[in-house]
Amino acid sequence: MSIDLVDTDASSAEAARQGSGYEAWVPELSVTETWQESSSSGALLRRQVVFVPSLDPWESVDSARAAVRAGAPGVLRLNLRSTKGALPLTEWALDPLPAVCEREGYALALDYGPTGTVPLTELAAFACSAPEVALLVLGDRVCEQPAVWRLLDCCPNVLLQVTDQTAPASLAAGVGTFGAHRFVFGSRGSATGADAVLLAALEADDQVALTSGNARALDTLEWRQRWL
């Protein structure tokens, strides 16, 4: 099946009703043996590992590895929201995950929630400590933080999620400065797909990169090989 749109941040399985040519990544908090399936509409639903450290640090890593082998995206998700269950973005809390991701090529999706402000200093420190790990920052209004552009400048392993709430002018400026490979589409739960107005300011190749190409490259480990 040809995939035209990869939604890297769907909130539920309902997002997979978009139809053929659509792939949705849905966070999966429970253990499952079915990491990917086709919906009745022909869309591909892939359950994304939400990494939760356990008493045995290798137990969670081994579970994530098994999930990826079974069809989960090669982009593991971390809950960094300001809620119960959120993780600190530090090596001691996530060890040995950063080293495993660096060795095996997995990317990390950093979920700061729908309204949370991204702590750029903490994120930059972590990005610099794991320079070979691609980090996809998830959040509704990530591009609205002025200093986020300096983050992209100093940390080449950081990508930003683009949602329908992103200002088209900001996206066009970001793509023009840092390249389309630094941006990935995520719906944050919307069922409408990528906004045509948002994409209209981009060249055709950049639109493809943002809506499917970069997500596919992260999933298959090609993004790191090309850009880091």
Side-chain angles (χ1 to χ4, degrees):
M1 178 174 63
S2 175
I3 299 296
D4 301 312
L5 176 63
V6 178
D7 181 354
T8 60
D9 190 24
S11 61
S12 70
E14 296 297 318
R17 294 181 177 177
Q18 291 284 338
S20 180
Y22 180 91
E23 179 176 313
W25 295 358
V26 178
E28 180 55 64
L29 295 173
S30 60
V31 176
T32 177
E33 296 181 357
T34 306
W35 289 95
Q36 66 178 36
E37 59 189 80
S38 295
S39 72
S40 58
S41 65
L44 179 63
L45 173 65
R46 300 180 67 196
R47 303 188 186 280
Q48 189 177 30
V49 177
V50 178
F51 185 83
V52 179
S54 61
L55 184 61
D56 177 0
W58 286 100
E59 179 182 6
S60 299
V61 168
D62 290 341
S63 296
R65 283 171 168 162
V68 172
R69 288 196 298 268
V75 183
L76 311 182
R77 193 182 188 112
L78 300 180
N79 175 20
L80 302 172
R81 304 179 181 214
S82 300
T83 60
K84 182 179 180 180
L87 297 172
L89 190 62
T90 57
E91 286 189 274
W92 64 263
L94 300 175
D95 185 66
L97 181 62
V100 170
C101 289
E102 185 168 332
R103 182 169 62 250
E104 302 190 14
Y106 299 148
L108 294 177
L110 312 178
D111 186 1
Y112 287 96
T115 59
T117 299
V118 177
L120 297 179
T121 300
E122 178 185 73
L123 175 53
F126 183 76
C128 291
S129 72
E132 295 296 319
V133 180
L135 304 176
L136 172 58
V137 183
L138 306 181
D140 281 1
R141 302 180 183 276
V142 173
C143 293
E144 293 182 5
Q145 293 183 236
V148 77
W149 305 117
R150 300 302 300 272
L151 176 70
L152 290 187
D153 192 32
C154 73
C155 300
N157 56 328
V158 171
L159 302 89
L160 301 184
Q161 179 190 64
V162 171
T163 73
D164 289 348
Q165 296 189 43
T166 304
S170 295
L171 175 59
V175 168
T177 303
F178 302 103
H181 67 286
R182 306 294 295 277
F183 301 89
V184 176
F185 171 73
S187 69
R188 299 303 286 177
S190 170
T192 58
D195 182 51
V197 175
L198 182 66
L199 299 177
L202 304 180
E203 298 291 335
D205 289 348
D206 293 341
Q207 293 182 21
V208 173
L210 188 144
T211 56
S212 62
N214 294 334
R216 183 67 60 223
L218 287 171
D219 182 27
T220 60
L221 319 185
E222 294 176 6
W223 194 94
R224 168 184 163 175
Q225 294 172 5
R226 181 173 181 182
W227 300 109
L228 296 182

